[in-house]
């Protein structure tokens, strides 16, 4: 237990003891909650004795109320007069419970039982912070409730069983209110605190006045705060042990440190605030102050619940990050922060709704207004909504991963990140393009990064005067190059004389490289192209140019100008074998 808790506890006990002693020595002064000024509307008749006796030092507004009740000649023919009689005669300064029970339907009740019912009803009204403004109470003797269409007046919308009803020309609290009172009273004092209050002398409970607070108000507040601090400390220790025990039981002890501090302490505070809400009535504040304290607790409880859920969302996010780190896909790493933000936003919205609900704000009208506003916003921001849906489709379908090369329309590059609005792509020029997700979802995506093999297709053009035997030998040499290269696919390649174009004999050269990255692909292409050129030079084969020329084969008296081919078939085959062996030995060497 920290030192400040002990100090607060001792201060509360000292206030209670000191207040009890002062109450025994000094007689208390009357103090009451302020009532609203009223104006008498009934003419005074001096021939009828006053039902409500005079009392010295009665506050002016209460004296005016007493006079008006006397003018009514004891008849409670309106909700206003019935409540005025009930509230005035149960105040500590003007305490006449025998008059207060006139506001009850006393059928079947003795005077003692009726006084007990009236006292408990007054405690329920004060303990629940139901502050009644008399100038808002109807004065019409035939007042009709618009909902039930009966002569009823409900005091508070949260307590439908507490109402006044016109019976025999008098407005009184009916039997239904009296039957519901035991349950309301038990909820108000769940730990039989009312018995403790009944044991305290009235001289102590109503003694003194410090800034509008009685001595019992201050003492009970100090005691309750001390109790709550002690309970909070014990609950924190208990919940810490309980969380550790449960995690170890499920072999999750390594997560204890990440769960206890964020959750155990706020959860303890929530439980303590619930306890405080049940102890508010024991302080016996005025209805206005009780309502303020209840509203404060009603706001604090959902706020701390929201804090707990928010921290749980952070713990779930950390677990998702750990799981995403174990997968090969990098798109999961982009999805985790987005899902975390969505989850936390939902938690905050729920927390705000709980606070508004506890403050008795009509959520139906609020949700309806938000729905209409949301529709208008959606119509005004269709592109944003499309992008959000596009990002959702990308995360669900996973057409590419972060770090993969893609071709989307005219854009080609490497995916760097996927956001809620756009995807960032790094092009080959080292520039960055932000493509809206809605545009990506509408286009065909060529995922270059998912290729198992990388294809190389070229056309080799040879001159028309190349002998067929030499051409066939060259084709076999190209096939042997593919079989000898360490990074080519050996079971799928096509090397054939494919076309006789206008200026060349065209060889279709299609092979596949088993490499993972673009730089490796470029290196392999370079090696194959260099091998093709060197083999052609060794065989004496000339590459054709895409040009048109007039070629005179012979002139009278002149030797032929055609290309002389001196190699026979056997010599050509030997040259090809040497070229293949040389290229294979070159490829087997590690790159510089």
């Amino acid at each position: 237990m920290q030192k400040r808790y002990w100090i607060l506890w001792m201060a509360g006990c000292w206030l209670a003891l000191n207040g009890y002693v002062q109450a025994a020595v000094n007689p208390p002064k009357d103090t009451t909650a302020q009532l609203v000024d009223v104006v008498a509307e009934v003419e005074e008749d001096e021939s009828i004795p006053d039902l409500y006796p005079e009392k010295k030092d009665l506050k002016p507004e209460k004296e005016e109320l007493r006079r008006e009740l006397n003018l009514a000649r004891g008849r409670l023919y309106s909700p206003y007069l019935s409540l005025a009689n009930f509230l005035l005669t149960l105040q500590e300064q003007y305490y006449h419970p025998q008059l207060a029970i006139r506001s009850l339907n006393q059928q079947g009740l003795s005077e003692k039982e009726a006084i007990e019912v009236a006292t408990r009803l007054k405690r329920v009204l004060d303990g629940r912070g139901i502050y009644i403004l008399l100038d808002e109470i109807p004065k019409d003797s035939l007042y009709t409730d618009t909902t039930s269409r009966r002569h009823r007046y409900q005091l508070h919308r949260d307590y439908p069983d507490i109402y006044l009803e016109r019976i025999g020309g008098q407005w009184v609290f009916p039997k239904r209110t009296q039957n519901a009172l035991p349950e309301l009273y038990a909820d108000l004092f769940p730990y039989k605190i009312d018995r403790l209050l009944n044991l305290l002398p009235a001289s102590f409970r109503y003694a003194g006045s410090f800034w509008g607070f009685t001595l019992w108000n201050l003492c009970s507040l100090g005691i309750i705060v001390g109790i709550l601090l002690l309970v909070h400390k014990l609950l924190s220790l208990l919940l810490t042990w309980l969380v550790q025990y449960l995690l170890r039981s499920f072999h999750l002890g390594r997560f204890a440190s990440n769960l206890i501090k964020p959750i155990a302490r706020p959860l303890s505070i929530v439980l303590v605030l619930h306890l405080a809400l049940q102890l508010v009535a024991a302080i016996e504040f005025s209805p206005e102050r009780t309502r303020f304290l209840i509203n404060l607790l009603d706001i604090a409880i959902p706020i701390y619940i929201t804090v707990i859920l928010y921290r749980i969302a952070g713990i779930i996010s950390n677990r998702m990050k750990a799981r995403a780190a174990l997968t090969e896909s990098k798109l999961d790493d982009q999805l985790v922060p987005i899902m975390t933000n969505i989850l936390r936003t939902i938690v905050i919205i729920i927390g705000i709704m709980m606070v508004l609900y506890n403050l008795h704000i009509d959520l139906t009208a609020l949700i309806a207004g938000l729905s209409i506003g949301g529709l208008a916003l959606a119509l005004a921001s269709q592109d944003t909504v499309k992008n959000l849906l596009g990002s959702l489709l990308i995360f669900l379908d996973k057409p590419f991963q972060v770090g993969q090369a893609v071709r989307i329309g005219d854009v080609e590059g490497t995916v760097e990140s996927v956001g809620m609005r756009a995807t960032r792509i790094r092009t080959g020029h080292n520039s960055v393009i932000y493509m809206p997700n809605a545009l990506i979802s509408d286009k065909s995506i060529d995922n270059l990064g998912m290729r198992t093999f990388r294809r190389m297709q070229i056309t080799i053009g040879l001159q028309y005067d190349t002998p067929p035997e030499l051409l066939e030998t060259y084709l076999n040499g190209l096939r042997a190059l593919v079989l000898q290269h360490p990074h080519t696919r050996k079971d799928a390649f096509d090397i054939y004389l494919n076309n006789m174009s206008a200026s060349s004999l065209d060889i279709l050269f299609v092979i596949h490289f088993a490499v993972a990255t673009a730089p490796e692909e470029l290196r392999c292409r370079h090696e194959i192209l260099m091998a093709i050129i060197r083999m052609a030079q060794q065989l004496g084969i000339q590459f054709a140019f895409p040009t048109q020329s007039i070629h005179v084969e012979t002139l009278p008296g002149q030797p032929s100008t055609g290309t002389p081919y001196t190699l026979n078939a056997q010599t050509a085959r030997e040259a090809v074998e040497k070229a293949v062996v040389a290229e294979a030995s070159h490829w087997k060497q590690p790159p510089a």
Side-chain angles (χ1 to χ4, degrees):
M1 181 68 70
Q2 297 182 5
K3 184 182 295 184
R4 63 176 181 272
Y5 296 162
W6 283 111
I7 293 175
L8 290 173
W9 176 264
M10 293 174 65
C13 294
W14 179 85
L15 283 174
L17 180 60
N18 185 51
Y20 200 96
V21 172
Q22 287 186 5
V25 176
N26 300 321
K29 295 182 179 180
D30 292 333
T31 176
T32 61
Q34 183 179 1
L35 294 175
V36 182
D37 293 336
V38 295
V39 179
E41 296 181 354
V42 182
E43 295 182 357
E44 185 175 2
D45 187 354
E46 297 181 355
S47 63
I48 301 178
D50 288 346
L51 181 64
Y52 300 87
E54 294 184 1
K55 185 176 179 62
K56 294 182 178 180
D57 300 329
L58 191 64
K59 289 187 177 182
E61 62 272 9
K62 289 188 176 181
E63 176 61 29
E64 187 70 22
L65 185 59
R66 185 192 67 83
R67 188 174 66 86
E68 185 173 5
L69 288 171
N70 280 322
L71 289 175
R73 301 173 183 176
R75 294 176 301 180
L76 306 179
Y77 55 80
S78 69
Y80 168 78
L81 288 174
S82 181
L83 276 178
N85 168 75
F86 184 78
L87 296 177
L88 174 66
T89 55
L90 289 179
Q91 296 290 332
E92 62 273 12
Q93 186 183 1
Y94 193 87
Y95 189 70
H96 293 283
Q98 295 80 6
L99 296 175
I101 61 177
R102 299 179 65 252
S103 296
L104 299 178
N105 183 357
Q106 302 179 44
Q107 183 179 1
L109 296 176
S110 64
E111 182 178 352
K112 182 178 180 181
E113 291 173 341
I115 291 175
E116 179 69 18
V117 170
T119 304
R120 289 195 170 194
L121 180 57
K122 181 63 166 58
R123 278 189 174 179
V124 169
L125 295 177
D126 292 344
R128 293 303 180 189
I130 302 177
Y131 181 63
I132 299 174
L133 294 174
L134 286 178
D135 57 352
E136 295 181 359
I137 306 301
K139 298 181 179 180
D140 184 7
S141 61
L142 298 178
Y143 171 81
T144 302
D145 182 55
T146 57
T147 303
S148 63
R149 299 295 181 183
R150 302 180 66 176
H151 297 302
R152 288 182 177 179
Y153 178 75
Q154 184 176 325
L155 269 64
H156 197 277
R157 61 181 180 182
D158 291 338
Y159 301 94
D161 291 331
I162 303 179
Y163 61 89
L164 291 167
E165 188 173 17
R166 190 172 187 267
I167 301 176
Q170 301 286 320
W171 284 83
V172 293
F173 290 102
K175 286 295 183 180
R176 179 177 173 181
T177 299
Q178 300 175 29
N179 294 334
L181 188 59
E183 183 179 354
L184 295 172
Y185 193 77
D187 292 339
L188 184 64
F189 299 104
Y191 305 108
K192 307 298 182 182
I193 305 176
D194 58 318
R195 297 182 179 179
L196 173 62
L197 297 178
N198 293 333
L199 293 176
L200 296 174
S203 58
F204 172 65
R205 290 172 57 190
Y206 305 120
S209 179
F210 307 93
W211 303 289
F213 297 96
T214 64
L215 192 58
W216 169 246
N217 294 154
L218 300 176
C219 294
S220 58
L221 182 61
I223 294 172
I224 290 176
V225 169
I227 293 174
L228 294 178
L229 292 175
L230 179 61
V231 171
H232 170 57
K233 188 65 176 180
L234 295 177
L235 280 177
S236 297
L237 297 175
L238 178 61
L239 291 174
T240 299
W241 174 83
L242 182 61
V243 172
Q244 289 178 342
Y245 176 77
L246 292 177
L247 291 176
R248 289 170 183 170
S249 299
F250 291 99
H251 306 288
L252 298 174
R254 61 185 182 276
F255 302 118
S257 60
N258 295 330
L259 290 174
I260 293 174
K261 290 183 179 179
I263 296 178
R265 184 178 179 86
L267 183 58
S268 172
I269 294 176
V270 170
L271 297 177
V272 167
L273 291 177
H274 273 288
L275 178 61
L277 195 59
Q278 295 177 341
L279 298 177
V280 167
I283 305 176
E284 293 190 325
F285 278 147
S286 63
E288 310 98 299
R289 289 168 178 165
T290 301
R291 172 49 51 190
F292 173 78
L293 192 55
I294 291 176
N295 288 339
L296 189 63
L297 293 174
D298 285 339
I299 293 174
I301 290 174
I303 286 177
Y304 273 98
I305 292 176
T306 305
V307 170
I308 294 173
L309 296 177
Y310 192 87
R311 292 182 177 180
I312 291 176
I315 294 172
I316 295 175
S317 173
N318 293 333
R319 295 294 301 149
M320 292 172 61
K321 288 180 181 179
R323 292 291 182 88
L326 299 177
T327 62
E328 297 180 357
S329 172
K330 294 184 179 179
L331 195 60
D332 296 340
D333 300 331
Q334 298 287 326
L335 180 61
V336 169
I338 296 175
M339 295 301 297
T340 301
N341 292 334
I342 293 176
L343 186 60
R344 287 178 171 174
T345 301
I346 294 174
V347 167
I348 292 174
I349 292 175
I350 293 175
I352 293 174
M353 299 293 282
M354 288 192 297
V355 171
L356 296 178
Y357 177 79
N358 286 350
L359 293 178
H360 308 288
I361 296 176
D362 188 5
L363 296 181
T364 304
L366 179 63
I367 293 175
L370 292 177
S371 301
I372 297 174
L375 178 61
L377 182 63
L379 293 175
S381 57
Q382 295 184 27
D383 293 338
T384 302
V385 175
K386 289 181 180 178
N387 290 328
L388 291 175
L389 294 177
S391 63
L392 181 62
L393 293 176
I394 291 174
F395 287 123
L396 293 178
D397 295 341
K398 297 182 179 180
F400 50 79
Q401 308 291 340
V402 175
Q404 289 183 338
V406 296
R407 184 185 294 114
I408 305 174
D410 298 334
V411 178
E412 181 177 347
T414 303
V415 179
E416 290 192 342
S417 66
V418 180
M420 295 298 295
R421 192 195 70 85
T423 298
R424 186 171 64 184
I425 299 175
R426 176 82 58 179
T427 67
H429 301 288
N430 202 31
S431 62
V432 177
I433 295 178
Y434 288 87
M435 289 196 68
N437 293 328
L439 184 62
I440 294 177
S441 62
D442 291 336
K443 286 184 174 292
S444 59
I445 301 173
D446 186 4
N447 192 332
L448 304 177
M450 295 184 67
R451 293 178 295 178
T452 306
F453 300 99
R454 296 175 181 259
R455 187 183 186 195
M456 175 182 178
Q457 177 178 341
I458 61 174
T459 299
I460 303 173
L462 304 181
Q463 290 184 357
Y464 265 96
D465 57 357
T466 306
E469 297 82 3
L470 188 58
L471 181 59
E472 185 68 31
T473 302
Y474 186 58
L475 290 172
N476 292 333
L478 295 179
R479 297 186 185 105
L481 289 176
V482 176
L483 294 174
Q484 291 294 327
H485 196 277
H487 297 294
T488 55
R489 186 176 178 181
K490 308 300 188 294
D491 58 342
F493 59 87
D494 298 298
I495 302 176
Y496 298 101
L497 181 62
N498 184 54
N499 191 24
M500 298 177 68
S501 60
S503 58
S504 62
L505 300 171
D506 294 337
I507 298 175
L508 177 64
F509 187 88
V510 181
I511 63 174
H512 298 85
F513 298 114
V515 292
T517 62
E520 291 178 330
E521 178 188 2
L522 293 175
R523 179 176 60 82
C524 293
R525 289 176 65 93
H526 168 78
E527 293 173 352
I528 290 295
L529 290 174
M530 292 300 297
I532 291 173
I533 295 173
R534 282 194 289 264
M535 181 177 289
Q537 290 180 348
Q538 291 179 5
L539 295 177
I541 293 178
Q542 301 293 324
F543 294 108
F545 299 97
T547 58
Q548 292 183 354
S549 59
I550 299 175
H551 182 70
V552 180
E553 183 69 25
T554 58
L555 292 173
Q558 299 292 331
S560 175
T561 59
T563 303
Y565 293 97
T566 58
L567 293 177
N568 55 29
Q570 181 64 30
T571 306
R573 283 193 294 270
E574 293 175 355
V576 167
E577 291 176 357
K578 291 180 180 179
V580 171
V581 172
E583 294 297 336
S585 62
H586 176 70
W587 290 334
K588 291 179 181 179
Q589 296 178 0

